[in-house]
Amino acid sequence: MSLFLGACAHSGSQAPESLEQRAQRLVKENIIVDGHIDVPYRVEKAWVDVTKATDGGDFDYPRAVAGGLDAPFMSIYVPASLDNSPASTALAHDLIDSVEAIVGRAPDKFALAYSVSDVEENFKKGLISLPMGMENGSPVQGSLDTLNTFYERGIRYITLAHSQSNHISDSSYDLRRQWKGLSPFGKEMVAHMNRLGIIVDISHVSDAAFYQSVEISRAPVIASHSSLRRFTPGFERNMSDDMIKALAENGGVIMINFGSGFVSPLARSWRDKLSEQRQSLISQYGEDSPELEEFNQKYAKQNPYPFADLNMVLDHIDYVRDLVGIDYIGIGSDYDGVGDSLPVGLKDVSSFPNLVEGLLSRGYSEADIKKILNENVLRVWREVERVAASS
């Protein structure tokens, strides 16, 4: 009798999940929100049907399903070269059209998402949500009426500036600090974004503009695709410890950028040296010189790019957790936006199980991982919705 019971107990037992199995389960069970994916600009430059498998790029439907990605914010990216021109606004509308077209071609795969509840309902239906965020506020053109129109079209966050100072904010990349932070209109715009229900995104802005945004906004703000200056000293595009503390006090979230140059000091140094040497040649010989063309061809061959890896991305997540806690971390991969600089182990949207497995290997609880995958940023979005509803 005892032998029989023992045999039954053994046959009914299950082997414990491996880390890989746990990671696969977690990406299937939980919504994954990515704060920044540049699909619209990618398909604008060279059209491909991302509702099907594609040869290039970092995102398409099959890979998103494989990675468990459920709510990638589609970046409505407008280059700074179009600032202060009607072309800026026109391009933004064209890119929104392209997101709507993706959904129109495959309504059994994708759905637009204008609210947290949309994301949750789409997940229940097995659809990938495509919320939209505008990268570079230039298309607003100093008009709150235009801002209203973009909200109506589905824009749910706005990155106030991009690579140059614009009519809203100074940029971290631009040595000109014409506003010493936000412009007068920028301050007005942040307040109006609160009233509408648009999340304020402080990726790309100068430090002064960040602190002013946090001070003015009555709702939490996000950094939709930024990493930590602690690992890339002098790279203002990333956030300092003091900024992350202020972001946490505001209730906001930093969504970690995967690009090697954002997470690895070696990759950052490689890029800085490349830019420095190119600029020297441009100053000496000009933009179209054979010397510059020859340099461009030789540099990467003689100096192979030092790709980051998954562990470096995890180091950034660890650092934020240790600095301010688990409640202020999200994912902002910048897929399709950082070219071929993605880390080993995180090369496209199918790689999210690798990220989750890495977090498990470092001792993160499943509850903590859920916060990173979606709960933190959805909390911010809900609060932005609440502030707008009470305005």
Side-chain angles (χ1 to χ4, degrees):
M1 187 69 164
S2 61
L3 288 174
F4 176 76
L5 287 174
C8 286
H10 179 73
S11 63
S13 64
Q14 292 183 340
E17 286 181 300
S18 66
L19 288 183
E20 181 181 0
Q21 290 170 328
R22 287 179 69 193
Q24 290 290 346
R25 173 174 56 78
L26 284 170
V27 300
K28 287 181 172 63
E29 290 177 353
N30 294 283
I31 297 170
I32 297 180
V33 179
D34 189 320
H36 193 90
I37 294 186
D38 279 290
V39 167
Y41 196 72
R42 169 190 165 197
V43 301
E44 175 77 10
K45 290 197 299 181
W47 187 85
V48 289
D49 186 357
V50 295
T51 70
K52 303 173 182 177
T54 60
D55 291 332
D58 309 324
F59 174 96
D60 55 41
Y61 180 76
R63 284 184 284 177
V65 170
L69 177 60
D70 304 291
F73 269 88
M74 295 285 99
S75 173
I76 306 303
Y77 162 62
V78 176
S81 59
L82 299 181
D83 287 359
N84 304 313
S85 75
S88 172
T89 306
L91 176 59
H93 283 297
D94 287 345
L95 297 181
I96 294 170
D97 289 345
S98 73
V99 177
E100 294 175 344
I102 291 170
V103 174
R105 282 195 300 275
D108 58 328
K109 299 174 181 176
F110 295 104
L112 297 169
Y114 303 116
S115 65
V116 175
S117 61
D118 285 347
V119 171
E120 293 171 338
E121 287 302 312
N122 292 338
F123 179 70
K124 291 176 185 176
K125 296 175 184 176
L127 299 173
I128 293 177
S129 292
L130 299 182
M132 290 181 283
M134 179 182 288
E135 184 178 26
N136 189 0
S138 169
V140 173
Q141 299 292 347
S143 166
L144 295 183
D145 287 340
T146 302
L147 181 62
N148 294 344
T149 299
F150 281 123
Y151 174 79
E152 291 164 3
R153 293 215 61 192
I155 295 298
R156 289 301 178 267
Y157 77 66
I158 296 178
T159 316
L160 301 179
H162 191 250
S163 59
Q164 295 179 18
S165 175
N166 62 15
H167 73 284
I168 299 164
S169 173
D170 292 334
S171 164
S172 62
Y173 285 119
D174 196 337
L175 295 178
R176 299 169 301 164
R177 301 299 160 98
Q178 61 173 322
W179 306 117
K180 296 181 173 57
L182 298 177
S183 71
F185 175 76
K187 295 173 182 177
E188 184 181 6
M189 178 170 150
V190 166
H192 195 61
M193 289 168 69
N194 287 169
R195 292 191 290 271
L196 287 175
I198 300 176
I199 304 166
V200 177
D201 176 24
I202 54 76
S203 287
H204 281 284
V205 305
S206 69
D207 289 12
F210 161 78
Y211 285 111
Q212 290 168 20
S213 297
V214 169
E215 182 179 357
I216 293 167
S217 181
R218 294 182 295 115
V221 308
I222 63 169
S224 68
H225 57 306
S226 295
S227 298
L228 310 186
R229 207 176 295 173
R230 165 68 175 77
F231 296 88
T232 57
F235 185 42
E236 191 176 334
R237 171 67 178 80
N238 276 345
M239 298 185 72
S240 70
D241 287 11
D242 286 343
M243 293 169 76
I244 295 165
K245 290 175 183 176
L247 185 75
E249 289 172 7
N250 164 267
V253 174
I254 176 171
M255 308 181 77
I256 300 300
N257 190 315
F258 293 173
S260 291
F262 287 80
V263 297
S264 164
L266 286 177
R268 184 77 257 145
S269 176
W270 186 95
R271 185 70 61 187
D272 290 343
K273 289 177 182 176
L274 169 66
S275 298
E276 183 180 323
Q277 292 182 38
R278 284 191 81 256
Q279 193 55 52
S280 176
L281 287 171
I282 290 170
S283 299
Q284 189 172 359
Y285 299 109
E287 285 272 7
D288 301 319
S289 66
E291 287 85 359
L292 185 63
E293 183 177 351
E294 183 181 0
F295 169 78
N296 290 338
Q297 293 172 352
K298 286 185 176 180
Y299 186 86
K301 290 181 180 179
Q302 295 174 347
N303 304 276
Y305 187 70
F307 288 101
D309 60 25
L310 169 63
N311 279 314
M312 293 180 181
V313 175
L314 295 172
D315 288 344
H316 283 248
I317 294 173
D318 284 353
Y319 192 84
V320 179
R321 178 202 57 191
D322 295 342
L323 184 68
V324 294
I326 196 67
D327 295 321
Y328 311 102
I329 310 167
I331 297 166
S333 65
D334 215 349
Y335 281 133
D336 278 327
V338 288
D340 60 357
S341 76
L342 289 158
V344 176
L346 290 172
K347 288 298 186 182
D348 61 32
V349 295
S350 69
S351 303
F352 287 109
N354 295 343
L355 180 73
V356 173
E357 185 176 347
L359 291 168
L360 289 168
S361 71
R362 293 196 177 198
Y364 285 77
S365 69
E366 292 190 8
D368 286 348
I369 291 171
K370 290 175 185 179
K371 288 184 176 183
I372 294 169
L373 296 182
N374 75 79
E375 290 177 352
N376 291 338
V377 69
L378 293 184
R379 167 185 56 77
V380 169
W381 194 355
R382 281 194 188 91
E383 181 61 11
V384 170
E385 292 176 338
R386 187 199 67 75
V387 169
S390 64
S391 296

